[in-house]
Amino acid sequence: MRIAILGTGVVGQELGRKLAQSGHQVMIGSRTADNPKAADFVARAGSNASQGTFADATAFGEVVFNCTSGAVSLDALRLAGAENFADKILIDVSNPLDFSKGMPPTLTICNTNSLGEQIQKELPRAKVVKTLNTLNTNLMTNPAALPGDHVIFVSGNDQDAKAQVTKWLGDWFGWQPRNIIDLGDITTARGTEMALALWIRLMVALGTPIFNYNIVTATDSTEKNREHTDT
Amino acid sequence: MRIAILGTGVVGQELGRKLAQSGHQVMIGSRTADNPKAADFVARAGSNASQGTFADATAFGEVVFNCTSGAVSLDALRLAGAENFADKILIDVSNPLDFSKGMPPTLTICNTNSLGEQIQKELPRAKVVKTLNTLNTNLMTNPAALPGDHVIFVSGNDQDAKAQVTKWLGDWFGWQPRNIIDLGDITTARGTEMALALWIRLMVALGTPIFNYNIVTATDSTEKNREHTDT
């Protein structure tokens, strides 16, 4: 499959590496076609990887990942060209974190809006699915690094797109369908983006970014728990 | 122990009931000494329960729970009288939810401040510990209603006060110390208050408020998981 990765940071590099090494054709996009971080990525990710501008990558991809940092996501997506997203699924992994006022970061937008919503509004022909924005990069592509069940979320207006992304998250990265919670339409991205405020403080309290949320319900049977400890 | 419960809503009534039935002397406080919801509570909770104004209850309590709704918490605490909180632990269970703009609620304050911080600032002589604000009332007093491990958080500036509250949460309600995460000072209340935005959407997606977060780490051993399923 042809996959576009927008953004050359840690998240884009890790998702792109995993996908290229799994046999997908991955083009990583950035502001300039000769971005040195993108060139590094291509050198390490192998023959399935290539690089280009945001617009090159988006035009190339059958599906597009937004891995740009939240503060510049809207700019980057405008550079990619709205027409290049037509009828494509845009998997939005970004968070609107503002590091400019020191640590811990605040959010550039929250409470009555979200970056996921802003992106869907900016790109009405894209099918935006917000996911993977609530955990560390290394866990995105390797959920088995933590024991037992732990969850990620999907938010988006297009039910078929969310179902497709849920399948891809399983096929590409190993996420079990039971551990992918559909929160609802793209406005529910407010929930996962605002949960970053808790995640950041948990990272400090736990002394590691390698953790994730599980959602425990009354119907989680002992059976289910047993199954996990047996694996 | 003499315990003040400020607020006559669902949370105050449930915490007060549990504590009174466990043998504590509970005074529930509200704006007026003859509040009918408080009278109902006293009638149901038995001989250990009494009612009074916010100031009456706070003066009575060796420890104070803020169970008022977040939108009016600062007003209620001012009515309680700052001097009545001197050197006492104030367990803040409130959330700054704003239902005035429809569902789902937004927060009246977030991102760069929190209600927990505002309360600590308003009552400098109180030892504010924010906790229990991330889950349904029925789970606060009965964590065993969900299987296995699931967590709550404490935020506060006074380490001894957090340790004391952690012990009380175990003694009074059955919370295991390993499932109470100390996030840090009172500014970390931003994390748990903002996580309400996710909680609200999970409640809709799951179709129930009876769920809670667990935090899964790489060091959660199979040993630990086995232990839980055996209990």
Side-chain angles (χ1 to χ4, degrees):
Chain A
M1 193 165 176
R2 295 191 315 276
I3 299 174
I5 301 278
L6 307 185
T8 59
V10 173
V11 175
Q13 299 241 353
E14 171 57 16
L15 295 180
R17 179 201 63 75
K18 177 80 173 182
L19 292 166
Q21 291 179 356
S22 303
H24 297 285
Q25 301 297 313
V26 174
M27 187 183 291
I28 195 164
S30 55
R31 283 175 193 269
T32 57
D34 60 352
N35 180 304
K37 284 172 74 181
D40 269 1
F41 165 76
V42 170
R44 285 183 295 107
S47 59
N48 288 328
S50 59
Q51 73 180 99
T53 63
F54 287 131
D56 293 337
T58 304
F60 170 85
E62 297 167 87
V63 57
V64 184
F65 277 89
N66 175 32
C67 304
T68 61
S69 72
V72 301
S73 283
L74 288 171
D75 277 350
L77 294 170
R78 283 183 200 119
L79 289 172
E83 68 286 2
N84 287 324
F85 290 97
D87 302 322
K88 290 180 186 174
I89 292 173
L90 172 57
I91 302 176
D92 176 29
V93 181
S94 67
N95 278 306
L97 292 170
D98 180 1
F99 293 90
S100 70
K101 301 181 186 75
M103 292 296 286
T106 53
L107 300 179
T108 57
I109 183 168
C110 66
N111 201 22
T112 56
N113 203 345
S114 65
L115 184 55
E117 288 165 86
Q118 289 185 314
I119 289 171
Q120 181 64 81
K121 196 170 175 189
E122 182 73 26
L123 303 171
R125 295 189 62 192
K127 299 168 185 171
V128 176
V129 177
K130 183 118 207 169
T131 192
L132 291 175
N133 63 313
T134 52
L135 77 175
N136 177 266
T137 313
N138 294 306
L139 298 176
M140 294 180 189
T141 55
N142 185 22
L146 296 181
D149 283 316
H150 52 98
V151 301
I152 52 176
F153 309 94
V154 289
S155 300
N157 295 340
D158 189 301
Q159 207 59 39
D160 291 342
K162 285 188 286 189
Q164 179 63 70
V165 169
T166 298
K167 184 170 185 308
W168 283 334
L169 290 168
D171 294 346
W172 295 343
F173 306 132
W175 286 94
Q176 300 288 329
R178 70 168 182 272
N179 289 329
I180 303 174
I181 297 178
D182 182 351
L183 287 177
D185 68 23
I186 193 65
T187 67
T188 65
R190 296 179 200 177
T192 58
E193 292 178 10
M194 290 171 77
L196 260 284
L198 178 58
W199 189 92
I200 288 160
R201 289 164 178 95
L202 277 166
M203 181 182 69
V204 174
L206 300 173
T208 174
I210 305 301
F211 66 88
N212 194 19
Y213 302 109
N214 190 29
I215 305 300
V216 181
T217 66
T219 54
D220 282 343
S221 66
T222 305
E223 284 298 308
K224 191 181 165 196
N225 286 332
R226 283 233 173 76
E227 176 195 323
H228 305 156
T229 58
D230 290 342
T231 57
Chain B
M1 193 165 175
R2 295 192 313 277
I3 300 174
I5 302 278
L6 307 185
T8 58
V10 173
V11 175
Q13 299 243 352
E14 170 58 16
L15 295 179
R17 180 200 62 76
K18 177 80 174 183
L19 292 166
Q21 291 178 355
S22 304
H24 296 285
Q25 301 298 313
V26 174
M27 188 183 292
I28 194 163
S30 54
R31 283 176 195 268
T32 58
D34 60 352
N35 181 304
K37 284 172 74 181
D40 268 2
F41 166 76
V42 170
R44 285 183 295 105
S47 60
N48 288 327
S50 60
Q51 74 179 99
T53 63
F54 287 131
D56 293 336
T58 304
F60 170 85
E62 298 168 86
V63 58
V64 184
F65 277 90
N66 175 34
C67 304
T68 61
S69 72
V72 300
S73 283
L74 287 171
D75 278 349
L77 295 169
R78 282 182 202 120
L79 288 172
E83 68 286 1
N84 288 325
F85 290 96
D87 302 322
K88 290 181 186 172
I89 292 174
L90 171 58
I91 302 177
D92 176 29
V93 181
S94 67
N95 278 306
L97 292 171
D98 180 1
F99 293 91
S100 70
K101 300 182 186 75
M103 293 293 289
T106 54
L107 300 178
T108 57
I109 184 170
C110 66
N111 201 22
T112 56
N113 203 345
S114 64
L115 184 54
E117 287 165 86
Q118 288 185 314
I119 290 172
Q120 182 63 81
K121 196 170 175 188
E122 182 72 25
L123 302 171
R125 296 188 62 192
K127 299 166 184 171
V128 177
V129 177
K130 183 119 207 170
T131 192
L132 291 176
N133 63 314
T134 51
L135 78 174
N136 177 266
T137 314
N138 295 305
L139 298 175
M140 295 180 188
T141 55
N142 184 22
L146 296 181
D149 283 317
H150 53 98
V151 301
I152 52 176
F153 309 95
V154 288
S155 300
N157 295 340
D158 188 302
Q159 205 62 38
D160 291 341
K162 285 188 287 188
Q164 179 62 70
V165 169
T166 297
K167 183 170 184 310
W168 283 333
L169 290 168
D171 294 347
W172 294 343
F173 306 132
W175 286 96
Q176 300 289 330
R178 70 168 182 272
N179 290 329
I180 302 174
I181 299 177
D182 182 351
L183 286 177
D185 69 23
I186 194 65
T187 68
T188 64
R190 295 178 200 178
T192 58
E193 293 177 10
M194 291 171 76
L196 260 285
L198 178 58
W199 189 93
I200 289 161
R201 287 162 180 95
L202 277 167
M203 181 183 67
V204 174
L206 300 173
T208 175
I210 306 301
F211 66 88
N212 194 19
Y213 302 109
N214 191 28
I215 305 299
V216 181
T217 67
T219 55
D220 282 342
S221 67
T222 305
E223 283 300 308
K224 189 181 166 197
N225 286 331
R226 283 232 175 76
E227 177 195 324
H228 305 155
T229 58
D230 290 345
T231 59

